[in-house]
């Protein structure tokens, strides 16, 4: 069994390999003068069970292409099985045609991964769980919640309510609410543009209670901060945010700083920005992903990794 990585998030890949108990595999990535990516797997992987760790984040075009090329190299080097370990699966937000003449990039990326030679996928908190069905190869889909919930419980929240900041987040919020024995509320969101959203209505009771906004992604933080303002206006006590993938832009960080959100809890599924200006707690998912890799390699069940305790 071998674990390799590209340039997307070496730190996480190293931690995963450490948990698995093997060093990261040796692989060279260079570029031709015109920018084309060249990959060379330095060690023999014939007949091996090969895992490539690569989130598709921050520079998604570059890192997706790296991943595809690494997989192609492994297939041509006669790897027995190739698993793409994608802690954050980019391009997944475009998962349906919601206006004329637009793509479904989640399906396109699924097709590309399979065409390159991927045998199976290991990922975490896809934008929509149904994206699993875009693949006809096995997909192990983990949740970040088991890693994040213990940290939320440490906060000793007052009569907590978990809030989905939009309709798409209801399933995730419901999972947190059940596991934490908390209330559930929903904000209705209208997206005006890629950076602007409007949080219009609240369904549920938050008066005098601590609330936790849960989401798969925060990017410009428009979704979280608009929802937080509405929650405060509706009488919530303290507002916290908990997201699986922090793809924060500078705009996102500015918005968080000016918002009523007390702090952000997230994972290291993507490399961290400098977040020293805002209270952020980053929980590592290296153990979760490493354990999943060990179980996949050993043909063992991964169900245990969904447990919240
Ligand atoms: C959208 O449906 C996602 O679940 C997130 O709510 C969204 O991507 C967050 O984006 P932003 O932080 O830019 O509002």
């Amino acid at each position: 069994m071998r674990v390799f990585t590209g340039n997307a998030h070496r730190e996480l890949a190293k931690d995963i390999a450490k948990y698995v108990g093997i060093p990261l595999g040796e692989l060279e990535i260079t570029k031709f003068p015109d920018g084309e990516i060249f990959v060379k797997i330095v060690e023999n992987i014939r007949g091996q069970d090969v895992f490539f760790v690569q989130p598709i984040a921050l520079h998604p075009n570059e890192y997706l292409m790296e991943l595809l090329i690494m997989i192609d190299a492994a297939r041509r080097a006669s790897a027995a099985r190739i698993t793409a370990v994608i802690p954050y699966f980019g391009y997944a937000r475009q998962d349906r045609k919601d206006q004329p003449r637009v793509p479904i990039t989640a399906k396109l990326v699924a097709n590309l991964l399979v065409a390159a030679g991927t045998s199976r996928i290991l990922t975490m908190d896809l934008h929509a769980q149904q994206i699993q069905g875009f693949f006809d190869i096995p997909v192990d889909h983990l949740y970040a919640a088991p890693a994040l919930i213990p940290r939320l419980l440490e906060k000793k929240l007052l009569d907590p309510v978990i809030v989905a900041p939009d309709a798409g987040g209801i399933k995730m919020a419901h999972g947190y609410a059940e596991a934490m024995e908390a209330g559930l509320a929903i904000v209705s969101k209208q997206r005006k543009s890629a950076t602007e959203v409007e949080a219009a209505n609240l369904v549920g009771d938050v008066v005098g209670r601590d609330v936790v906004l849960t989401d798969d992604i925060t990017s410009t933080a428009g979704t979280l901060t608009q929802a937080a303002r509405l929650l405060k206006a509706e009488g919530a006590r303290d507002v916290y945010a908990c997201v699986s993938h922090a793809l924060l832009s500078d705009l996102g960080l500015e918005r968080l700083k000016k918002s009523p959100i007390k702090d952000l809890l997230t994972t290291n599924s993507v490399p961290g920005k400098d977040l020293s200006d805002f209270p952020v707690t980053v929980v590592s998912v290296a153990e979760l992903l490493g354990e999943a890799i060990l179980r996949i390699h050993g043909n063992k069940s991964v169900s245990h990794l969904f447990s919240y305790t």
Side-chain angles (χ1 to χ4, degrees):
M1 154 194 210
R2 308 297 298 136
V3 177
F4 293 94
T5 191
N7 289 313
H9 198 350
R10 284 194 75 80
E11 208 182 319
L12 174 62
K14 270 189 202 160
D15 290 348
I16 291 174
K18 193 169 169 200
Y19 181 86
V20 169
I22 55 175
L24 267 184
E26 226 188 305
L27 174 150
E28 287 168 7
I29 302 180
T30 50
K31 283 208 174 151
F32 287 100
D34 65 352
E36 273 185 20
I37 296 166
F38 173 74
V39 167
K40 180 171 170 57
I41 298 172
V42 178
E43 52 198 89
N44 177 23
I45 53 164
R46 193 173 284 267
Q48 301 258 329
D49 193 11
V50 174
F51 295 82
F52 288 104
V53 179
Q54 180 97 323
I56 305 173
L58 299 188
H59 303 288
N61 307 329
E62 181 82 7
Y63 295 146
L64 171 62
M65 202 63 206
E66 266 187 13
L67 178 60
L68 295 170
I69 295 173
M70 291 189 293
I71 290 167
D72 184 71
R75 176 172 58 171
R76 292 174 199 284
S78 306
R81 183 170 68 171
I82 300 169
T83 303
V85 181
I86 309 177
Y88 167 67
F89 194 102
Y91 276 112
R93 280 173 286 186
Q94 302 173 65
D95 59 0
R96 65 201 174 282
K97 272 192 81 170
D98 55 0
Q99 43 182 309
R101 299 174 296 282
V102 295
I104 302 181
T105 57
K107 175 63 179 154
L108 172 65
V109 171
N111 286 345
L112 290 170
L113 284 163
V114 173
T118 308
S119 323
R120 54 189 305 141
I121 304 285
L122 170 61
T123 189
M124 193 180 79
D125 281 339
L126 284 166
H127 176 59
Q129 299 213 13
Q130 297 88 312
I131 293 169
Q132 292 170 57
F134 290 3
F135 292 93
D136 284 326
I137 56 172
V139 176
D140 287 302
H141 180 240
L142 303 180
Y143 301 130
L148 295 172
I149 284 175
R151 295 303 185 94
L152 287 176
L153 292 174
E154 280 169 14
K155 290 185 187 292
K156 306 278 176 233
L157 302 170
L158 180 81
D159 197 9
V161 187
I162 307 298
V163 181
D166 55 30
I170 294 174
K171 199 167 164 49
M172 174 179 274
H174 182 256
Y176 276 84
E178 271 214 323
M180 292 173 60
E181 297 179 356
L184 179 65
I186 299 152
V187 168
S188 74
K189 172 177 99 177
Q190 273 272 303
R191 186 166 281 286
K192 305 279 175 199
S193 71
T195 55
E196 300 296 327
V197 300
E198 188 182 71
N201 297 291
L202 169 72
V203 182
D205 171 27
V206 297
V207 178
R209 304 168 76 177
D210 285 341
V211 300
V212 182
L213 283 159
T214 52
D215 210 346
D216 57 330
I217 303 165
T218 184
S219 169
T220 68
T223 302
L224 290 179
T225 55
Q226 287 296 324
R229 284 199 182 90
L230 178 67
L231 289 164
K232 276 303 234 189
E234 295 283 343
R237 191 170 169 260
D238 287 339
V239 182
Y240 300 88
C242 174
V243 302
S244 312
H245 312 293
L247 305 173
L248 277 171
S249 57
D250 292 340
L251 173 63
L253 196 51
E254 274 313 301
R255 281 178 169 166
L256 280 177
K257 282 195 272 179
K258 290 182 191 146
S259 81
I261 295 173
K262 286 203 88 168
D263 65 41
L264 170 68
L265 178 63
T266 187
T267 76
N268 61 346
S269 63
V270 296
K273 275 180 89 70
D274 177 12
L275 297 170
S276 45
D277 289 356
F278 186 79
V280 180
T281 305
V282 180
V283 175
S284 178
V285 285
E287 197 173 310
L288 191 67
L289 292 164
E291 184 60 32
I293 288 173
L294 284 173
R295 284 169 183 263
I296 290 167
H297 178 65
N299 287 325
K300 293 194 189 124
S301 164
V302 298
S303 310
H304 164 75
L305 304 177
F306 297 103
S307 149
Y308 292 110
T309 49

